[in-house]
Amino acid sequence: MAEKIFSHRLSGKTFDRDRGVKQADPVRYYKLGTKKNPAKVSVQTEERKKELEAIFMEKKWSSIIICDPDKPEDISALEILSNPGQTKINAHNIGRNEPCYCGSGRKFKKCCG
């Protein structure tokens, strides 16, 4: 067994006396629809399975489609991939020394900040 000399806490790299550097695989979140995190979908019929396979192939998303007539259809992963979340924009993008947006006439830092 190799003697562990040094382990970097941020990168996860471990330096061994025998083998040199080895990369540890930290717990990571992978994007939905990739090979490391395929979209999991369950359907009830083979026809529906073929429809969804065509959609996933067209968009080049990785998926696992389970055909089980006893379970209800669950295509929530496909809906998430089809409708990605929108970036939220702050409506009140003002500096602290500008007048407050509420109309009080005071500086933002003294009023609503």
Side-chain angles (χ1 to χ4, degrees), residues 26-75:
V27 176
R28 294 187 54 161
Y29 293 101
Y30 296 101
K31 187 175 178 183
L32 184 64
T34 59
K35 288 184 179 180
K36 297 213 177 197
N37 186 15
K40 295 174 182 80
V41 177
S42 65
V43 295
Q44 293 181 335
T45 62
E46 287 292 326
E47 294 83 29
R48 182 72 171 143
K49 181 177 179 180
K50 290 179 183 177
E51 287 177 27
L52 294 180
E53 283 177 348
I55 292 171
F56 281 112
M57 292 292 282
E58 177 185 330
K59 301 285 187 172
K60 297 180 182 173
W61 291 327
S62 180
S63 66
I64 297 173
I65 303 174
I66 301 167
C67 183
D68 190 4
D70 298 333
K71 290 185 179 179
E73 184 172 291
D74 179 27
I75 58 167

Side-chain angles (χ1 to χ4, degrees), residues 73-87:
E73 184 172 291
D74 179 27
I75 58 167
S76 59
L78 177 61
E79 291 170 358
I80 291 170
L81 285 170
S82 299
N83 304 317
Q86 299 296 322
T87 304

Side-chain angles (χ1 to χ4, degrees), residues 85-104:
Q86 299 296 322
T87 304
K88 294 181 181 179
I89 298 172
N90 186 2
H92 307 293
N93 193 9
I94 60 173
R96 9 176 310 144
N97 289 322
E98 294 180 16
C100 189
Y101 61 86
C102 70
S104 65

